[in-house]
């Protein structure tokens, strides 16, 4: 069983004391760590460090954060968003290095988190990982079931009607927890999957398809580019040959 308060422990620590197997990077305001149980090929967590005037209680979860002054809460989430963008860029570079193509990266919160201390998940859009073991894991990251709250969506609440914000900010566990029990379905094609092994094999196939498509598109683009270069070479050659021939 995972230690449910470990993230808080990290957030209170001097980042210099965290091992590089845990800490990926840090800023004055946040830590980017490797998820100890990655649910995708790439999976980081970004957590705000505990700093005045914010308290550990306020930073306990998205729910507790949204109870404080709205502007200050928005500032915290906007800050996490910035760090998430940097982490996404790192993931994309690593995708290219390791696999020769890149695919989507999601950034978001869990509607009803299992670990204490506010954190944003930044993970590659594949959900292919040996640590992905059960329906609860999978549904919590499914990008359209509603348990996984994309950060853009959460930020949009701040600009909505105050009553809408108030309703969303409640983050009632009774709204989110039932989602984890919904039937397994592929997030790419919506097919219903009868069990985890079937789903996992199917997700792998889906990823293979994306790989093939991306590589074919890349190849086509390269070919088009080289054809264009050839064509312009011919043009230059022709233009050049005119004055030559008139001499
Ligand atoms: Zn989480
Ligand atoms: Zn599918």
């Amino acid at each position: 069983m995972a230690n449910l308060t470990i993230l808080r422990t990290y957030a209170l620590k001097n980042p210099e004391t965290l091992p590089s197997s845990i800490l990926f990077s840090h800023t004055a305001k946040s830590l980017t760590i490797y998820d100890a149980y990655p649910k995708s090929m790439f999976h980081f967590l970004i957590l705000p460090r505990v700093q005045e005037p914010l308290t550990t209680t306020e930073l306990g979860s998205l729910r507790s954060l949204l109870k404080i002054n709205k502007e200050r809460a928005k500032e915290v989430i906007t800050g996490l968003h910035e760090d998430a963008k940097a982490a996404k860029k790192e993931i994309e570079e690593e995708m290219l290095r390791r696999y020769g193509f890149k695919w989507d990266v999601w950034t978001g919160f869990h509607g009803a988190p299992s670990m204490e201390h506010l954190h944003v998940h930044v993970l590659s859009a594949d959900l292919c990982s040996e640590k992905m073991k059960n329906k609860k894991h999978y549904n919590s990251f499914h990008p359209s079931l509603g348990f996984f709250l994309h950060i853009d969506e959460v930020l949009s609440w701040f600009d909505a009607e105050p009553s809408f914000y108030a309703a969303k900010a409640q983050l009632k566990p009774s709204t989110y927890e039932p989602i984890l029990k919904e039937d397994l379905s592929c997030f790419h094609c919506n097919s219903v999957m009868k069990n985890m092994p079937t789903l996992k094999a199917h997700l792998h196939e889906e990823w293979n398809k994306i790989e093939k498509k991306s590589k074919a598109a890349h190849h086509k683009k390269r070919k088009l580019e080289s054809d264009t270069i050839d064509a312009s070479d011919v043009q230059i050659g022709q233009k050049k040959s005119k004055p030559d021939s008139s001499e």
Side-chain angles (χ1 to χ4, degrees):
M1 186 74 200
N3 178 347
L4 299 182
T5 55
I6 192 77
L7 299 181
R8 179 186 295 155
T9 308
Y10 295 156
L12 287 163
K13 267 196 176 161
N14 170 1
E16 314 285 345
T17 65
L18 289 169
S20 61
S21 57
I22 294 171
L23 185 73
F24 176 74
S25 65
H26 72 275
T27 66
K29 293 194 166 169
S30 76
L31 306 177
T32 299
I33 65 168
Y34 297 98
D35 193 299
Y37 302 91
K39 301 303 189 297
S40 274
M41 292 191 212
F42 300 92
H43 192 169
F44 285 127
L45 296 182
I46 303 183
L47 13 155
R49 295 169 66 182
V50 180
Q51 281 168 331
E52 298 268 328
L54 293 162
T55 65
T56 43
T57 312
E58 289 167 340
L59 291 172
S61 65
L62 184 60
R63 194 176 181 211
S64 56
L65 181 74
L66 297 186
K67 283 184 183 139
I68 69 166
N69 171 288
K70 203 170 159 183
E71 279 317 302
R72 193 171 287 159
K74 190 179 179 183
E75 222 172 89
V76 172
I77 297 175
T78 309
L80 293 173
H81 195 202
E82 287 309 310
D83 299 322
K85 284 182 205 163
K88 180 181 173 182
K89 225 179 132 225
E90 297 279 353
I91 289 176
E92 288 175 335
E93 281 168 17
E94 195 58 27
M95 284 171 166
L96 286 173
R97 265 197 296 271
R98 273 195 229 172
Y99 301 102
F101 77 106
K102 57 181 186 176
W103 59 103
D104 281 351
V105 175
W106 298 321
T107 298
F109 303 92
H110 277 159
S114 53
M115 307 241 326
E116 287 190 44
H117 198 75
L118 179 65
H119 57 280
V120 179
H121 292 266
V122 181
L123 74 168
S124 53
D126 48 79
L127 302 182
C128 292
S129 165
E130 56 160 291
K131 297 284 192 298
M132 174 70 80
K133 301 219 189 268
N134 56 46
K135 184 191 268 190
K136 210 172 144 183
H137 289 160
Y138 178 73
N139 283 354
S140 74
F141 288 103
H142 189 300
S144 54
L145 283 186
F147 191 92
F148 187 79
L149 298 167
H150 296 273
I151 198 164
D152 290 326
E153 189 197 331
V154 174
L155 282 168
S156 78
W157 298 349
F158 289 91
D159 303 320
E161 291 291 322
S163 60
F164 182 83
Y165 177 82
K168 286 292 184 185
Q170 285 184 32
L171 288 163
K172 282 194 201 136
S174 58
T175 306
Y176 293 93
E177 277 160 4
I179 299 173
L180 300 178
K181 293 181 183 138
E182 284 180 25
D183 286 345
L184 289 173
S185 69
C186 169
F187 73 87
H188 297 277
C189 70
N190 294 322
S191 303
V192 175
M193 297 285 137
K194 64 174 191 285
N195 54 36
M196 282 305 285
T198 315
L199 171 72
K200 285 168 70 98
H202 179 80
L203 289 176
H204 233 278
E205 279 168 31
E206 292 280 16
W207 184 79
N208 286 337
K209 269 195 255 169
I210 295 172
E211 179 182 30
K212 255 193 211 136
K213 239 195 208 163
S214 308
K215 290 193 171 164
H218 183 72
H219 191 77
K220 205 171 155 193
K221 196 174 156 236
R222 288 284 293 273
K223 194 171 176 301
L224 267 171
E225 276 168 6
S226 70
D227 286 353
T228 316
I229 291 163
D230 289 350
S232 64
D233 281 351
V234 172
Q235 251 184 4
I236 292 163
Q238 282 171 343
K239 271 182 197 155
K240 238 179 156 182
S241 71
K242 264 188 188 165
D244 279 356
S245 61
S246 67
E247 273 176 4

